[in-house]
Amino acid sequence: MSLNTLGYYWREAFLSIFRNGWLSLASVGTVTISLLILGISVLLVMNAQAFTKSLESGVEIRVFLENGATREEIRDMEKELKKTPGVATVEFVSRDEALEEMRENLGDRKDILEGLEEDNPLPDAFKIKAEKANDVPALASQMEKLEKVDQVNYGRGIVEKLLAVIKWVRLAGGGLMVILGVAALLLISTTIRLSLFARRREIGIMKFLGATNWFVRFPFLLEGMILGFVGAAIASSVVYLGYVSLVNRLDEVLPFVTLVTDRQILLTVTGGLMGIGIVVGALGSAFSVRKYIQV
Amino acid sequence: MIQLYNVSKIYSNGVKALNDVTLHVRKGEFVFLVGPSGAGKSSLIKIVFREELPSRGQALFSGKNIARLKGREIPHLRRKIGMVFQDFRLLPQKTAYENVAFAMQVVGAGKRAIRNRVPEVLAQVGLEEKTGMMPAQLSGGEQQRVCIARAIVNNPVMIIADEPTGNLDPDTSWELMNLFNEINSKGTTIVMATHAREIVDTMKKRVLSMTAGRITRDEEGGVYSNES
């Protein structure tokens, strides 16, 4: 492929894009919107996952023991718990320590606990941390079955809810993305069909002049790829800039909410969007080109 | 150059355009293809150009079976044949120069080759003064000259002209015929379908006469029609 030919391809592709201005705009718009949704859902899922990960250390299981367990029994149990797969750390909290902890938490109003030293209502307990947040529900129900265990508590709900949110975001984002992706494909393919139609004379002439199929097709493929690329570039920039500014703003307003701020990840996401945009554009035009250019 | 053996062409709508045509055209010949409309002249041209496949029989170009060409070989067959049409088929938004250059771009020629070759051919057809003009600014004869320039720019071994003077007045037609003759004298084979009786009668070339899909007469130095 000579430089001359390459220049010809680009010239023809851009000419076509401007000739079908409105449809090109619509194609670019659809690509942008579908990739925006993809980008946003990917970032949402990534943050939700990072958040569950940070919860892994935060979510602890509290295993409350029945009254009257002996020191021996407690020691054996601690050993057994430590051996359980999926358990990261086990810490014993005696009833006295629990009361002390509660008193500290209450601060100025610790007087309401006055007199409880004699008749401490709190049970002995283990604080257990799981290796993975995912395992917490299973571990908890497993521990409920142990002897001498009265009750098992953990941030019931939070973990499940978070996992459900991730699933939902994936599903909804994925579904929307597929629908809009198909729309983008169809629109690009229609745009290319119009370009083909506008230039059918020229295509006919090219064929009797002995142009190879690739020579005839390539400008149209390029046109589709450019449309996809432009759409993806807009989506990527919006996602990138929007996310960076969101991170900065959240840092001021809600300093305890931590978002994924790894530049590398953000670049990977936007790079992926660009790649998908170009592929969608090429596919969309390939449909039309295959259908309408025959030797 | 062209060898057809018992070629028939029946279109999907049942029209029988060619009926058992056997024909040889040798390198360097100038052949007129005459006959009424619908006699099969265009179908014959389409088979040689691989726009249509023969329904029966064999068609060879330079010894190669045209029907057996693979998809990617077809463009290379077509590069060996320069086509000239009655309706010119120029790109209206390109100048004379650009129309001829386009034929070279299409086959992947380099910029420098195009810059050298295009003015040369345009001069050969007598249009050196009008290279920058759009087809609409040119007369019919001049437009046809651009087509001829485009047909010969890639040095084809053969030119197929489908009623090239059909839209032109007699004087202009004669000028173009002289041009074709000149091209032929340099070794390029020419096959020309035409209705121009006077031209055929005067030029005394080989004449293939077709009627109802058959070749009814093949005469060296012949005339348009033996009747009257």
Side-chain angles (χ1 to χ4, degrees):
Chain A
M1 192 185 296
S2 71
L3 265 177
N4 194 21
T5 310
L6 215 62
Y8 162 84
Y9 289 154
W10 283 98
R11 227 173 14 252
E12 296 302 307
F14 275 108
L15 258 172
S16 258
I17 287 172
F18 288 111
R19 190 158 15 196
N20 307 319
W22 284 110
L23 206 61
S24 302
L25 210 67
S27 309
V28 167
T30 333
V31 173
T32 303
I33 292 167
S34 49
L35 289 181
L36 258 180
I37 288 173
L38 175 65
I40 290 168
S41 11
V42 165
L43 285 173
L44 260 176
V45 167
M46 270 178 22
N47 275 299
Q49 267 168 343
F51 190 49
T52 24
K53 206 160 198 181
S54 78
L55 277 186
E56 277 167 18
S57 47
V59 174
E60 46 178 45
I61 308 172
R62 277 206 184 222
V63 178
F64 297 105
L65 302 181
E66 286 169 4
N67 276 337
T70 63
R71 289 231 168 268
E72 308 256 293
E73 281 170 330
I74 289 168
R75 203 167 301 141
D76 289 347
M77 239 176 133
E78 192 172 353
K79 270 185 203 152
E80 197 178 327
L81 285 171
K82 272 182 177 158
K83 270 187 277 175
T84 313
V87 168
T89 62
V90 178
E91 189 192 339
F92 179 70
V93 184
S94 72
R95 42 198 307 207
D96 299 338
E97 286 166 343
L99 188 65
E100 192 54 39
E101 208 175 279
M102 194 182 262
R103 191 172 282 151
E104 270 167 30
N105 284 346
L106 284 170
D108 288 345
R109 307 202 52 198
K110 60 186 171 203
D111 50 306
I112 60 167
L113 298 177
E114 207 72 29
L116 281 178
E117 290 91 343
E118 303 305 312
D119 188 16
N120 185 351
L122 298 175
D124 289 329
F126 286 110
K127 276 193 204 167
I128 293 161
K129 285 186 180 170
E131 276 165 1
K132 281 192 209 148
N134 266 338
D135 297 340
V136 167
L139 279 174
S141 65
Q142 195 182 329
M143 289 163 187
E144 240 160 14
K145 289 179 200 131
L146 293 175
E147 259 178 66
K148 296 281 176 189
V149 168
D150 179 38
Q151 209 187 343
V152 176
N153 271 352
Y154 64 94
R156 198 188 293 271
I158 293 181
V159 172
E160 278 99 333
K161 268 180 201 150
L162 213 60
L163 292 176
V165 164
I166 291 179
K167 208 163 133 192
W168 193 86
V169 168
R170 270 201 188 135
L171 229 81
L176 254 177
M177 213 262 311
V178 167
I179 292 168
L180 282 163
V182 169
L185 264 175
L186 288 178
L187 260 174
I188 286 179
S189 137
T190 309
T191 313
I192 301 301
R193 195 178 314 167
L194 268 194
S195 314
L196 287 170
F197 187 74
R199 298 172 57 194
R200 63 198 181 289
R201 251 182 94 86
E202 208 172 329
I203 291 171
I205 291 172
M206 284 161 104
K207 279 196 210 153
F208 79 67
L209 290 175
T212 58
N213 269 338
W214 265 111
F215 186 86
V216 180
R217 285 172 178 168
F218 201 75
F220 299 104
L221 284 182
L222 197 62
E223 182 182 346
M225 282 158 80
I226 292 170
L227 293 177
F229 174 83
V230 173
I234 298 171
S236 303
S237 337
V238 170
V239 166
Y240 190 93
L241 297 175
Y243 191 75
V244 168
S245 84
L246 180 75
V247 168
N248 291 340
R249 206 157 298 167
L250 266 186
D251 247 8
E252 290 165 20
V253 185
L254 302 168
F256 49 87
V257 177
T258 50
L259 290 173
V260 178
T261 51
D262 194 342
R263 271 288 135 108
Q264 199 56 49
I265 289 174
L266 204 51
L267 285 176
T268 311
V269 170
T270 48
L273 292 183
M274 301 290 283
I276 292 171
I278 293 171
V279 169
V280 165
L283 273 181
S285 52
F287 282 147
S288 285
V289 164
R290 270 184 72 93
K291 210 165 160 191
Y292 294 99
I293 301 184
Q294 262 125 28
V295 201
Chain B
M1 186 104 298
I2 301 175
Q3 291 163 283
L4 302 186
Y5 296 99
N6 309 105
V7 167
S8 294
K9 177 68 194 176
I10 300 159
Y11 288 104
S12 52
N13 60 10
V15 172
K16 199 163 191 182
L18 292 177
N19 190 356
D20 202 27
V21 171
T22 297
L23 157 74
H24 293 239
V25 174
R26 282 170 298 277
K27 189 167 167 30
E29 272 192 299
F30 193 131
V31 182
F32 282 120
L33 204 54
V34 302
S37 298
K41 303 189 298 289
S42 294
S43 296
L44 194 79
I45 290 172
K46 280 181 180 162
I47 282 178
V48 175
F49 204 55
R50 184 56 160 83
E51 264 183 87
E52 297 288 348
L53 287 170
S55 310
R56 259 196 306 266
Q58 307 287 321
L60 279 68
F61 186 88
S62 295
K64 273 194 185 163
N65 191 324
I66 297 169
R68 293 225 193 99
L69 289 179
K70 294 190 189 87
R72 61 187 156 76
E73 293 173 316
I74 295 168
H76 296 280
L77 164 77
R78 293 182 181 165
R79 288 175 195 185
K80 291 184 190 136
I81 304 172
M83 288 293 279
V84 177
F85 302 93
Q86 180 176 9
D87 58 355
F88 316 141
R89 302 201 192 170
L90 294 169
L91 289 165
Q93 74 279 22
K94 282 183 167 31
T95 64
Y97 179 95
E98 287 164 345
N99 264 287
V100 178
F102 186 63
M104 291 185 76
Q105 275 174 5
V106 156
V107 302
K111 266 204 173 90
R112 186 175 303 161
I114 292 175
R115 260 203 309 272
N116 288 335
R117 174 72 177 147
V118 175
E120 191 181 304
V121 230
L122 280 169
Q124 195 182 336
V125 300
L127 285 180
E128 57 269 72
E129 308 285 312
K130 309 206 162 168
T131 56
M133 287 198 176
M134 304 305 254
Q137 300 170 298
L138 297 169
S139 71
E142 287 165 339
Q143 288 185 52
Q144 194 59 295
R145 282 168 193 272
V146 178
C147 294
I148 295 169
R150 181 180 64 185
I152 60 174
V153 73
N154 290 324
N155 295 311
V157 292
M158 177 157 87
I159 286 184
I160 297 181
D162 196 354
E163 297 188 29
T165 59
N167 287 343
L168 304 174
D169 64 77
D171 286 350
T172 312
S173 300
W174 272 114
E175 287 169 17
L176 287 175
M177 280 311 176
N178 291 335
L179 189 52
F180 278 114
N181 229 345
E182 201 179 297
I183 293 164
N184 177 240
S185 71
K186 286 175 185 159
T188 310
T189 314
I190 292 179
V191 174
M192 184 181 297
T194 185
H195 290 296
R197 176 183 296 265
E198 197 200 320
I199 287 173
V200 176
D201 289 351
T202 313
M203 283 182 75
K204 299 269 185 280
K205 301 289 186 185
R206 181 179 172 195
V207 176
L208 286 168
S209 180
M210 293 188 77
T211 322
R214 288 177 181 277
I215 293 191
T216 47
R217 184 165 54 98
D218 182 351
E219 206 173 358
E220 205 65 56
V223 290
Y224 187 84
S225 147
N226 286 340
E227 295 143 35
S228 79

